[in-house]
Amino acid sequence: MSGTIVTLTPNPSIDRTVTLTGELQRGAVLRAAAISSQSGGKGVNISRAAVAANVSTIAVLPAHKDDPFVLDLLRDGIDCRPETPAGDVRVNLTLTEPDGTTTKVNTPGAVVRPADLDRLAAAVIHRARQARWVVLAGSLPPGAPVGWYAELVRALAGTGARVAVDTSGDPLVALAAGLADGAPQLMKPNGEELASLTGGDAGAIEADPVAAAHAAEVLVARGVEVVLATLGRNGAVLVTGDGAWHATPPPTTVVSTVGAGDSTLFGYLLGDLRGLDPAERLRLAVSYGSAAAGLPGTTIPTPADVSAGLVAVADLTAPVTTATTARTTARDTTPDTENRGN
């Protein structure tokens, strides 16, 4: 296994998780069983998973070098390369109920100027030359143009690194609109995001892996090499120019879905670094996502938490027709469970 994963988190956050003793009730006085705080953000979460798996990683983000946010990452063994920020790191709050239901309150972050974005872009392009993968992850800070990720994908094209993007909302729409001018090697939408990009029905796509594969094929036809679409409790679908696969997660007692999508993406990247075939990359991806869902707060799984052999993988042979044509390649065909990937 060789290669470095460089992550860019342009809008990092201090993630505070409150574990409630009962159901969330609007307007009520609630009691907390526990509270935790961790330096986070989608790219940061992927770098955390990489460190736990002994994979080389560099985390690029905006923060002062002596910010407790950065010191927290360095203490956890993450090679953190902070760039001068536009303001303080934002704080996000997650409320977790006993059944695993999570409610998130995300703050917007500091307003950036063009110079702030230029520093981040230069930093990630410089480090991309030593990377196998560059991951552009999470929301954009206020003031950033919605097409900034799309511009950065084009700028990274000459570095030799492969690019994965995991974002949502207008930045995702802008990325999809610019695929003809430059497409990342990997996109990781969830079912709702995939529907918004391809004009499908979100409920149908999340419930039906075949429908999800059809929708993902639209992005592949437009230049994306790999689409990894997370489908919540229905696992995930992987689509490339060579085929389509669906993975079903094992039974999981959901504790918190925060970070499950980031862990899923890391599992795929880890499979790529190991030289696994697409089906096995998907198996590892879903096993990481399931493991994250079974851990509290923003805890990112380690290899010891992951049970890839419990994930069922089916080959949705192209062209995809019906779900019953799938060829099961699973080691253990266990039933599905709740696992929101994003």
Side-chain angles (χ1 to χ4, degrees):
M1 185 170 61
S2 63
T4 296
I5 299 175
V6 172
T7 64
L8 173 63
T9 310
N11 200 18
S13 61
I14 298 170
D15 293 335
R16 290 185 179 148
T17 301
V18 178
T19 302
L20 301 176
T21 58
E23 292 184 358
L24 176 65
Q25 298 180 42
R26 183 181 178 189
V29 176
L30 306 176
R31 296 192 180 278
I35 185 169
S36 62
S37 184
Q38 185 178 63
S39 298
K42 296 182 76 63
V44 168
N45 290 341
I46 290 169
S47 285
R48 282 191 184 279
V51 168
N54 200 29
V55 172
S56 173
T57 186
I58 297 172
V60 178
L61 49 86
H64 293 293
K65 292 181 179 180
D66 58 352
D67 192 304
F69 182 96
V70 173
L71 300 179
D72 181 45
L73 298 182
L74 294 174
R75 187 168 49 249
D76 291 343
I78 297 173
D79 185 353
C80 180
R81 308 297 176 93
E83 295 294 324
T84 303
D88 293 336
V89 176
R90 64 189 177 130
V91 176
N92 289 341
L93 180 65
T94 298
L95 304 176
T96 301
E97 299 173 56
D99 66 353
T101 300
T102 56
T103 301
K104 299 197 67 176
V105 181
N106 291 349
T107 56
V111 178
V112 296
R113 301 172 295 270
D116 301 317
L117 297 174
D118 290 345
R119 284 193 299 271
L120 282 177
V124 76
I125 290 169
H126 172 69
R127 290 169 178 86
R129 304 185 190 283
Q130 67 188 85
R132 166 70 177 176
W133 282 97
V134 172
V135 182
L136 312 179
S139 63
L140 295 179
V146 295
W148 190 66
Y149 274 150
E151 295 173 5
L152 195 49
V153 167
R154 292 190 289 271
L156 287 164
T159 64
R162 298 172 64 77
V163 180
V165 182
D166 182 9
T167 189
S168 59
D170 291 340
L172 178 62
V173 173
L175 176 69
L179 291 178
D181 297 322
Q185 278 69 42
L186 189 155
M187 290 178 66
K188 197 211 73 61
N190 61 21
E192 182 178 352
E193 292 160 353
L194 186 58
S196 72
L197 296 179
T198 60
D201 177 81
I205 284 176
E206 186 158 302
D208 182 1
V210 174
H214 275 309
E217 285 173 345
V218 174
L219 298 177
V220 172
R222 294 168 60 186
V224 182
E225 288 185 17
V226 178
V227 177
L228 174 61
T230 51
L231 307 177
R233 70 180 65 196
N234 293 316
V237 163
L238 180 70
V239 178
T240 73
D242 297 321
W245 298 264
H246 171 235
T248 302
T252 303
T253 300
V254 177
V255 178
S256 172
T257 58
V258 178
D262 309 329
S263 298
T264 299
L265 176 53
F266 172 73
Y268 177 88
L269 300 180
L270 181 60
D272 174 79
L273 294 179
R274 289 178 174 174
L276 302 182
D277 63 37
E280 293 305 308
R281 294 181 195 180
L282 179 61
R283 189 192 306 279
L284 191 57
V286 170
S287 66
Y288 258 89
S290 298
L295 296 171
T298 56
T299 305
I300 300 301
T302 69
D305 300 313
V306 175
S307 300
L310 299 180
V311 175
V313 179
D315 183 355
L316 307 175
T317 53
V320 178
T321 53
T322 66
T324 57
T325 64
R327 174 173 57 83
T328 299
T329 62
R331 300 189 185 104
D332 183 358
T333 55
T334 52
D336 61 8
T337 186
E338 176 70 23
N339 175 24
R340 286 234 158 258
N342 227 0

